[in-house]
Amino acid sequence: MRIRHALVLPVLLLAAHAPAALADPTGLTPTSDPNWYKAAGADWSQATITEPDGTTLHADILRPKGDTSADKTPVILSIGPYFNHSGQTSAAGPVENTSYDPIGQAGVGPSDRFADFVVGSGLLQKGYSFVMVDLRGFGGSSGCLDWGGTGEQSDVVQAVHWAATQPWSTGKVGTYGKSYDAMTGLIANALHPDGLGAVVAQEPVYDDYRYLYGDGIRRENSAATPALYDAIAATPGPLADDPAYNTGGATTPDCLGQNFIDQAANDDHTTDFWTQRNLITKVKGSEVPLFITQGLTENNTAPDGTAQFLQAHAGYERAWMGPWEHVRGNETCASGDSSTGCTASNVGRLKEGRHGWFDEVMRFYGQFLKGETPAVQDPPIAVQTNDGKWRAEQSWPPADATGYTTTLNTGSYADQGQSSATGDTDSTTAPSGVWTISPVLDHEVHLAGSGTASIDVTTSAPRANLVVDVYDLDKNGTGPLVSRQGHLIYGTGEQKIPLELWSADWKFAPGHRIGVRVTDTNLDWWLLTVPTMQTVTVNSSTISLPFLTYQRNDTIEGDPGVQLASYLADTENADAAVGTSEDRSFNVPPPLAAPPAGAPGSPQAAQAVQNPNGTFTPATTSGSSTTSKAAAKRLVVQIARLGRALVATGRAPARSLVVVRLVRNGRVVATRRVRAGATGTYRVRFTGLRSGRYAFRVSGTSAGRAVGATSRSVRLR
C-alpha cells in the first residue's frame, strides 16, 4: 500500500520547535508569487527522472525565455528537500520565514527557494539554465528519504547525469545550494559523476553524523532533525497542482518512522549507517572545483569537519569563511529581522560582510562550465578573522599552520550535564571543569585550522560526557569561545579519548590568554546531553592547536559580519581559575615572522593567479604554475625549548613519514622518524642535551617530491 503524505501534528510541532534544524531560514522575504520566474525571464517546465531502482525524481526546469532544445546552455542544478510547490518547509514555513501555500490559491509555480539567486545573478540572461530536483520522498519525487544515504547519493548522481544529457544541455553541470542542498553538492563532489564541472555549497554539512551528535553526545537535532524532515516529506503539494505531482510523491507507510529511528536511535559514529554518510572520507581524491562558504561561529551547520574536508578534497578550491551564522553570501539584514546582529542600525548590511557574492559565483561557473577567463582575479580563499578584517589565502588551512602541543592540567569534573560554553559561571549546578590557561601573551598569535586533543580520563560508569572548549580570554580570564568538540566516553576505567576540534581562524591579541577547559557538555549545543552524575577524572592529556608561522598584513574587501559584535560579547568568565590553572609551560608559538617571498602571507602569494587545475602562477612571472595544492602542504618545522629539552613541532602532508634531524653546532647529533597525524601535524621531543646551538632539519615527501625545511636555531647554555 502506498499513501499520499499526511501531516502528523505532533511531529510537525516538534519540527517547528527545533531552532537548529537544517531547514534554511533565508532571511529573505518570501515571494509567495507562483509566477516569480516570469519576471526573471524564464520559461518553466517539469520533467521526471527515472532511476535504476525505479525511484522517480521530479525536476522543475527554468530556461531562458524563448530558448528551444537547439539553444544549448550549461545547467546549474540544485538537489534537495525544499522544492515542494506548496512551500519550502511545510507548515513550519512561517517559523522558518519561507513561503507556504497548501492550497495554491494564487496559482502553482516552481519553488522560490533560490529566487534570490536566479534573479540576483542574472544567470538566465548569462546563458544558463537552472534546475531544481526533489530528493526522493520530497515534493513530487517518489521513494523514501534517507538523510544523505545511498538512496539520496543515487539521486544526486542520476540528477547530474540527466542534466548533462538533455538535448538543451552543453553537458556541463554545476550545483548550487545552501544547507541541505549544499550537502547534496558535496555528495556530488565526492562522487564526481560525469558532466559535473563545479560545486557551490553554502554552509554545508561534511559528515551527517556530526550534525546530530558530538561523537555520542546528543544535539537537539538528534530528534528534531529527523522529525522535521519527516514533516517536510509528509507535506503534499498544493491542492491546485496537477494531481500527478502529488501522486508521484507518494511514499510507503513505514518510511517516516524508519527514518526517525535510523537517526535518533543510533549515536555510534562507527556504524555502517553513519560511515555511508561521512563525506570527508568519500571526497578523497575528488578534483571537481569547489566553492564553499562556512560560518566559523555557525549556530546550525558548525565548522565541524571543515578543515578535514578541504584537506581531503584534491581539486581547485574557493571559499568565504568567517564569523557568521547560517546565512547566504548575499543575505542582508532587513527591517524586522531579529536574527543575531541584525539591529536597527544594521538594516541593509551584508550578514557575512563581503560584497559581490553573485558576481563571484558566476565568474566561478563561467570558468568551469563555459571555459571563460575571469575578468576579475578573485582570492581563492577569503577569510574574515575575529577582528573583522578579511584576507586572502591560497589554501585553507594555510600551508604555514603548525601544531603546538600543550600538556593539560589534571583534575576532575562532575558529569551533571549542566555546563554551557559561555555564561555559566554564576550557576551553582554548572561544573567549571578542568582548566589549563596560558600566561598573558606578549605577542599576537594566529590560530588557523582544526586542533586536536587526546584526553586521558578515568570513569566508573559507561557513557560519561566529555567536552573540550578553547577560549580567547583577556588577562583577567574573560572571553569568547574559539573552538570546541564533544565526545561520549562509552567505556569505563582509564581511556584515551581523541577529539578533532571545530575549525577556526582566530587572532589572540597581546595581553590575552588562551584558555582550555575540559568539562561535561555545552548546553547551548549538545542540548540533549544525558548526564551520568559521576565524577570523571582527567589524567595526563594534551591539546594541539594549529598556529600560523607568518604575518598576514594585507587585507581585501569586506566588512565585519553583523554577528561578530554579539558573538564576542558572549563570554565565559574563568577569572577564578586563572590563579590555579595558569600553566607557564603552555606551548605558545613565537611571534609571527615576516613572510619570505612566495611564502603564505607574502604579496607574491596573495597576488598569485590560481589556475583551473588548482595550481598557482606566481604574480612575478608569466610562466607555468609552480605550486599545486598537494605541494602547498609542504613541511613546516618550529623549535621550542622546554627546560633542557627541545621540541620539534610542525606540519606535513597528512599521515606522511617525516624524518627529523637534530643539528648541534652544524652537525646532526640525533635522528627520529615520526608519522604526521590525520590533520598533518607532528611533534618530536629530544632530551638530555648538551650546551650548544641547535636547529631542526626535517625531510619528507609531498606529491611524490622530496621536500624539506629547517627551523630557526636556539642556544642551550
Side-chain angles (χ1 to χ4, degrees):
M1 174 183 175
R2 299 178 69 82
I3 60 172
R4 178 57 224 175
H5 310 318
L7 289 177
V8 181
L9 184 59
V11 171
L12 181 58
L13 290 176
L14 176 59
H17 172 70
L22 191 59
D24 171 22
T26 64
L28 307 170
T29 302
T31 69
S32 68
D33 178 5
N35 296 308
W36 67 269
Y37 65 94
K38 294 180 180 178
D43 286 332
W44 169 47
S45 62
Q46 302 176 69
T48 297
I49 304 167
T50 301
E51 300 197 53
D53 68 354
T55 301
T56 57
L57 305 180
H58 177 268
D60 287 301
I61 306 163
L62 300 180
R63 300 212 63 222
K65 190 172 183 61
D67 273 13
T68 68
S69 293
D71 301 305
K72 296 182 181 297
T73 65
V75 182
I76 299 175
L77 176 67
S78 194
I79 313 161
Y82 301 133
F83 303 121
N84 194 320
H85 292 170
S86 64
Q88 181 185 138
T89 46
S90 71
V95 178
E96 297 285 349
N97 194 31
T98 61
S99 59
Y100 178 60
D101 180 5
I103 307 299
Q105 299 179 72
V108 176
S111 169
D112 61 2
R113 172 166 171 77
F114 289 122
D116 62 325
F117 173 53
V118 174
V119 175
S121 68
L123 66 90
L124 296 162
Q125 291 73 25
K126 291 180 171 69
Y128 295 85
S129 297
F130 186 69
V131 176
M132 295 167 279
V133 175
D134 296 320
L135 284 170
R136 60 182 58 208
F138 295 98
S141 294
S142 70
C144 185
L145 70 165
D146 74 343
W147 184 234
T150 54
E152 292 188 4
Q153 291 172 25
S154 173
D155 297 347
V156 171
V157 171
Q158 295 302 320
V160 171
H161 173 74
W162 176 88
T165 56
Q166 292 310 291
W168 42 265
S169 169
T170 62
K172 291 291 188 179
V173 180
T175 69
Y176 186 87
K178 186 229 171 174
S179 201
Y180 203 127
D181 37 49
M183 180 181 75
T184 61
L186 297 190
I187 290 173
N189 203 304
L191 302 180
H192 45 83
D194 289 345
L196 182 67
V199 169
V200 176
Q202 301 174 84
E203 314 305 311
V205 174
Y206 308 95
D207 175 357
D208 288 4
Y209 176 91
R210 302 185 195 209
Y211 188 70
L212 309 183
Y213 304 93
D215 269 327
I217 305 180
R218 289 179 174 270
R219 288 186 67 187
E220 180 184 16
N221 289 4
S222 62
T225 294
L228 176 62
Y229 287 103
D230 278 357
I232 295 174
T235 302
L239 291 176
D241 210 334
D242 182 339
Y245 182 83
N246 284 322
T247 302
T251 188
T252 56
D254 62 342
C255 173
L256 305 182
Q258 190 60 51
N259 174 65
F260 186 91
I261 292 170
D262 285 342
Q263 298 177 62
N266 184 358
D267 64 13
D268 185 352
H269 199 176
T270 65
T271 61
D272 289 343
F273 180 88
W274 291 119
T275 299
Q276 292 172 2
R277 292 158 172 81
N278 184 351
L279 301 179
I280 297 171
T281 56
K282 286 183 177 294
V283 81
K284 288 182 179 178
S286 171
E287 296 184 352
V288 177
L290 172 67
F291 192 162
I292 70 164
T293 71
Q294 179 62 62
L296 297 176
T297 53
E298 252 274 26
N299 65 343
N300 189 331
T301 53
D304 190 355
T306 306
Q308 291 78 7
F309 187 91
L310 292 176
Q311 288 170 322
H313 178 253
Y316 180 106
E317 290 172 355
R318 296 278 297 282
W320 287 15
M321 309 175 72
W324 53 73
E325 292 188 337
H326 198 62
V327 298
R328 303 183 184 194
N330 59 296
E331 200 168 323
T332 59
C333 288
S335 178
D337 185 352
S338 59
S339 61
T340 303
C342 282
T343 60
S345 61
N346 283 335
V347 171
R349 280 186 56 190
L350 286 160
K351 292 184 178 180
E352 293 184 4
R354 183 167 166 79
H355 296 81
W357 169 251
F358 291 146
D359 291 339
E360 195 164 330
V361 165
M362 294 312 295
R363 286 192 289 269
F364 177 73
Y365 283 138
Q367 185 174 7
F368 294 107
L369 302 185
K370 288 188 173 183
E372 297 172 344
T373 300
V376 176
Q377 181 62 33
D378 298 303
I381 312 292
V383 189
Q384 181 187 164
T385 40
N386 54 302
D387 58 1
K389 297 178 180 179
W390 290 78
R391 74 179 194 278
E393 292 284 355
Q394 287 189 355
S395 62
W396 202 94
D400 61 325
T402 300
Y404 284 77
T405 302
T406 293
T407 299
L408 301 177
N409 289 330
T410 59
S412 64
Y413 63 85
D415 181 22
Q416 298 177 354
Q418 294 296 311
S419 295
S420 295
T422 55
D424 70 356
T425 52
D426 293 332
S427 170
T428 58
T429 62
S432 58
V434 181
W435 284 90
T436 305
I437 301 174
S438 76
V440 173
L441 301 173
D442 61 7
H443 58 272
E444 178 182 276
V445 297
H446 190 161
L447 184 152
S450 170
T452 60
S454 177
I455 309 300
D456 189 307
V457 296
T458 300
T459 61
S460 57
R463 300 182 70 85
N465 298 285
L466 167 69
V467 164
V468 174
D469 294 320
V470 179
Y471 295 92
D472 179 0
L473 305 174
D474 63 20
K475 64 180 180 180
N476 296 319
T478 298
L481 183 74
V482 175
S483 182
R484 59 179 163 190
Q485 189 55 278
H487 204 296
L488 198 65
I489 307 169
Y490 286 95
T492 59
E494 185 173 357
Q495 302 156 81
K496 285 189 176 181
I497 307 299
L499 301 100
E500 290 183 335
L501 306 183
W502 291 5
S503 297
D505 200 294
W506 195 278
K507 293 180 179 179
F508 294 83
H512 283 214
R513 301 173 182 268
I514 303 170
V516 179
R517 179 173 70 159
V518 181
T519 188
D520 61 338
T521 192
N522 288 171
L523 280 183
D524 65 302
W525 196 257
W526 295 287
L527 183 60
L528 298 187
T529 300
V530 179
T532 62
M533 308 307 292
Q534 66 178 297
T535 297
V536 177
T537 301
V538 180
N539 307 310
S540 177
S541 303
T542 60
I543 189 169
S544 180
L545 299 175
F547 291 101
L548 298 186
T549 302
Y550 300 120
Q551 299 167 357
R552 300 302 199 269
N553 295 323
D554 294 333
T555 60
I556 59 175
E557 189 278 329
D559 299 321
V562 297
Q563 186 216 10
L564 179 57
S566 60
Y567 186 88
L568 294 176
D570 185 13
T571 59
E572 176 73 329
N573 187 341
D575 57 350
V578 170
T580 58
S581 302
E582 181 179 88
D583 185 351
R584 304 300 299 179
S585 64
F586 201 107
N587 196 6
V588 175
L592 292 161
S602 67
Q604 294 86 351
Q607 297 168 16
V609 177
Q610 189 176 24
N611 302 305
N613 63 354
T615 63
F616 289 87
T617 299
T620 55
T621 70
S622 58
S624 61
S625 58
T626 59
T627 306
S628 68
K629 182 186 173 188
K633 295 176 182 177
R634 60 186 178 80
L635 282 182
V636 175
V637 62
Q638 295 283 337
I639 189 169
R641 272 183 297 200
L642 293 178
R644 298 294 298 177
L646 291 175
V647 178
T649 57
R651 189 171 185 84
R655 306 191 189 283
S656 64
L657 186 65
V658 180
V659 179
V660 182
R661 295 177 175 85
L662 179 65
V663 179
R664 174 178 174 270
N665 298 335
R667 296 181 59 188
V668 176
V669 294
T671 301
R672 301 272 182 84
R673 288 172 172 80
V674 62
R675 192 166 295 279
T679 58
T681 60
Y682 67 89
R683 182 178 187 272
V684 180
R685 184 178 182 183
F686 294 84
T687 59
L689 304 179
R690 300 161 50 193
S691 298
R693 180 165 290 279
Y694 288 88
F696 288 120
R697 294 178 189 162
V698 295
S699 59
T701 302
S702 176
R705 297 170 45 210
V707 291
T710 302
S711 74
R712 65 185 178 92
S713 63
V714 297
R715 180 176 293 279
L716 292 182
R717 300 184 182 278

